[in-house]
Amino acid sequence: MPPVTTWLIRHGESLANAGHPTVGNAEVGLTELGLQQSQDVAAQMMVRPDRLVVSPFLRAQAMAAEIEERWLGLRREVLPIQELTYLSPARCNGTTHETRQVMVRSYWERCDPDYKDGEDAESFTAFMARLHSFHEELQREDVPFFVAVGHGQFFSAYLFALNNSFIASPEQMKAYRLAETANPLRNGEILRLASGRLVGER
C-alpha cells in the first residue's frame, strides 16, 4: 500500500527557468532564488521523512540537500524520476528557453510517443514506463511519510497518468501536454498525497 503521506516537490528555480543559456540538462543548477525556495520547502517539513528520494539531476539534488540539512542523519536515495529529456541535450547546448521554442513546438506537434530526438534523448514511451515504475514503487512504500524531490514535468505526468493511464499513445501524449502547459507546477511547489491520492485541487 502507498505511504500515508507523500510529498512530491518540484525543485527551486533553475538557471534554465530563469532564462540563462544552459549546457546539458542534468547539470543545470539552481539560482539564488532557487536555493531560497529550497530552504523554504525544508522549513515547511515539520515531520522527519521516513524516506527521501530524489532525481539524479543537479537542481533536484540541491533541493534535497537542504532537506538533509533540516533533518540531520536523513540520507537521500537517487531514483530515475528525472524529467522527460525529449530534446537532445547535445542539440540544445547554449540555447535558452526562448530559443528552444521552435524545437519544442516541433516535438509536440509530431506527437509520436516512440520518437527520439537523438541518442541522448528519451522517448515519451520510455518516460511513461519510468512513471509506471515509480508508481509501483510508491504502492509498495508502506511508511508514514515519503518525500520525492524532482521535476514539474515528471510529477505533472504522474498525476495525469493516475487519473488516466500509463499507456503511451499519441492521444495520451497530446492530452498530457495540454494539461501540463495549462497548469504547470511552480518552482518549489509541493503536491501532497494521502494514501496515494492528491489532497485538494491544484
Side-chain angles (χ1 to χ4, degrees):
M1 58 190 302
V4 176
T5 301
T6 300
W7 282 16
L8 307 177
I9 307 170
R10 186 187 179 195
H11 60 77
E13 183 190 67
S14 70
L15 291 167
N17 297 148
H20 294 281
T22 56
V23 175
N25 191 4
E27 302 83 0
V28 176
L30 297 180
T31 62
E32 287 297 321
L33 174 59
L35 286 171
Q36 183 59 56
Q37 290 168 331
S38 302
Q39 293 163 3
D40 292 345
V41 165
Q44 292 181 54
M45 203 167 287
M46 305 309 290
V47 175
R48 181 188 181 89
D50 296 284
R51 191 176 178 200
L52 170 64
V53 302
V54 59
S55 152
F57 285 13
L58 182 62
R59 48 199 181 276
Q61 294 279 331
M63 172 171 272
E66 297 295 336
I67 297 171
E68 284 179 331
E69 188 166 324
R70 169 78 174 81
W71 294 102
L72 296 178
L74 181 66
R75 290 289 176 266
R76 76 192 95 161
E77 302 169 47
V78 176
L79 287 185
I81 57 173
Q82 67 273 18
E83 67 181 357
L84 167 62
T85 303
Y86 58 89
L87 295 180
S88 161
R91 284 212 309 136
C92 295
N93 275 349
T95 63
T96 66
H97 173 78
E98 185 175 345
T99 58
R100 283 192 296 275
Q101 288 311 298
V102 171
M103 291 187 280
V104 169
R105 281 195 295 274
S106 174
Y107 174 85
W108 290 104
E109 285 170 6
R110 180 191 297 264
C111 222
D112 177 355
D114 296 321
Y115 173 74
K116 282 184 67 176
D117 191 52
E119 288 302 313
D120 54 351
E122 182 180 31
S123 71
F124 190 77
T125 297
F127 179 56
M128 292 302 286
R130 281 198 293 115
L131 286 164
H132 191 243
S133 294
F134 176 70
H135 176 65
E136 290 184 327
E137 175 124 8
L138 206 55
Q139 297 310 299
R140 296 191 296 267
E141 198 61 52
D142 188 11
V143 297
F145 188 24
F146 179 94
V147 173
V149 179
H151 308 267
Q153 210 174 53
F154 188 93
F155 294 141
S156 291
Y158 180 65
L159 292 183
F160 179 84
L162 274 182
N163 293 323
N164 294 276
S165 84
F166 290 91
I167 295 172
S169 67
E171 294 77 17
Q172 180 90 336
M173 187 175 176
K174 183 177 181 180
Y176 156 68
R177 179 65 174 172
L178 288 172
E180 198 271 332
T181 53
N183 191 19
L185 265 68
R186 301 180 305 279
N187 290 118
E189 183 171 348
I190 303 169
L191 298 176
R192 293 170 169 83
L193 280 64
S195 299
R197 289 290 165 186
L198 183 66
V199 176
E201 298 289 330
R202 283 199 63 246

